[in-house]
Amino acid sequence: MRRKIVVGNWKMNNTIAESVELATAIAEKVGNDGVTCEVGIAPTFPALHEVGKVIEWSGIALTAQNCHYENDGAFTGEVSARMLAAAGCRYVILGHSERRQYFGETSRIVNLKVRKALAEGLKVIMCVGETLEQRENGVTEAVITEQVKEGLAEVSDITNLVIAYEPVWAIGTGKTATSEQAQEVHASIRATVAGICGEQAASHLRIQYGGSVKASNAQEIFSMPDIDGGLIGGASLKVEDFMAIVNAAG
Ligand code: PEP
């Protein structure tokens, strides 16, 4: 039985004070409301430490949005997995489509980051997803399979891995994949992972869906057999919206 996981990706939103306020309100609900799924929130780097302090008691997983694949060095503007682990992060999101699209992250770079983050004791949420053009050209499965295989190259233990399937055309657009479309890709990801890591490991792997998940569609999406929760962007910035999604996951 896989425990569902819902993570709020706050992207480049909120000052430290605003982040602490939002995190405090979410922690009060998650900590007191008998939530059974795993919940994470991913504020910006400057807010991580302060947010970590106000959510610690609630069991919410402090999550970072990115990291570099080296521990230290001359990489101006970057933050390492080692630093995130020391700052109290449990998870790091890697390979988000906005990183791939706007910052030139290839699956090869994502793979270096995944390996480093796992080696530093972080759990990883590795994002994959096809563009609208790729979906319309009928290459969704090929694209996702390639991203999964490249992202997991030389990764032997996936105990601390979560994969997020996020169709690029559904992120921040209000368009959501139907639950059947999402289930089809999730099942294909699980089959790909089974081919790499074995059936047993793949059956334990949690695969989140992301892309305009909201209170009104969360329950249906999360009811699909291979969908183990969600990575939530826009709707994670409002306590009521986020909590409705968390509650839909259990
Ligand atoms: C995301 O950025 O991971 C995401 C799913 O965004 P949204 O929910 O806003 O589509």
Side-chain angles (χ1 to χ4, degrees):
M1 184 69 180
R2 298 182 297 266
R3 185 181 177 208
K4 286 197 170 34
I5 172 167
V6 175
V7 176
N9 172 14
W10 292 359
K11 311 193 185 193
M12 196 174 72
N13 290 294
N14 295 330
T15 62
I16 296 176
E18 289 160 353
S19 299
V20 166
E21 191 184 333
L22 179 57
T24 303
I26 293 172
E28 265 162 28
K29 302 263 183 209
V30 172
N32 295 321
D33 281 5
V35 168
T36 55
C37 67
E38 186 173 12
V39 178
I41 51 178
T44 57
F45 289 137
L48 280 172
H49 186 65
E50 291 301 315
V51 166
K53 288 198 246 176
V54 297
I55 63 174
E56 200 177 1
W57 69 275
S58 70
I60 294 176
L62 187 65
T63 302
Q65 299 176 21
N66 181 33
C67 72
H68 196 266
Y69 52 81
E70 295 289 350
N71 274 343
D72 316 272
F75 299 100
T76 302
E78 293 292 324
V79 172
S80 72
R82 190 176 77 94
M83 294 166 189
L84 296 177
C89 290
R90 192 189 306 167
Y91 284 92
V92 59
I93 299 168
L94 295 173
H96 191 281
S97 67
E98 286 152 14
R99 302 284 327 161
R100 294 180 192 253
Q101 228 178 322
Y102 306 138
F103 302 97
E105 270 189 28
T106 60
S107 290
R108 165 78 186 138
I109 293 173
V110 174
N111 173 249
L112 292 174
K113 293 181 174 194
V114 167
R115 283 156 52 193
K116 176 57 80 177
L118 291 173
E120 291 301 320
L122 288 171
K123 295 177 188 241
V124 168
I125 298 171
M126 184 180 83
C127 304
V128 296
E130 82 286 4
T131 62
L132 184 58
E133 193 185 359
Q134 289 165 335
R135 176 159 283 268
E136 286 175 350
N137 288 336
V139 293
T140 297
E141 191 175 336
V143 167
I144 303 294
T145 300
E146 193 60 28
Q147 289 177 353
V148 170
K149 281 189 175 164
E150 277 195 54
L152 295 186
E154 293 176 53
V155 174
S156 49
D157 184 354
I158 59 164
T159 314
N160 286 334
L161 178 83
V162 173
I163 292 181
Y165 167 56
E166 299 205 302
V168 178
W169 49 271
I171 295 179
T173 59
K175 287 185 197 158
T176 317
T178 64
S179 46
E180 290 79 17
Q181 280 173 325
Q183 166 58 27
E184 191 182 350
V185 177
H186 281 232
S188 146
I189 290 172
R190 202 175 298 289
T192 303
V193 173
I196 304 169
C197 307
E199 292 284 345
Q200 170 110 1
S203 72
H204 289 117
L205 173 72
R206 293 181 295 176
I207 307 175
Q208 298 173 297
Y209 170 79
S212 300
V213 176
K214 32 191 185 283
S216 56
N217 59 22
Q219 196 141 24
E220 190 192 332
I221 292 171
F222 296 164
S223 71
M224 302 309 278
D226 285 291
I227 300 183
D228 306 307
L231 184 54
I232 317 300
S236 70
L237 295 168
K238 292 209 177 90
V239 183
E240 298 310 323
D241 293 352
F242 186 59
M243 284 314 300
I245 295 168
V246 166
N247 290 325

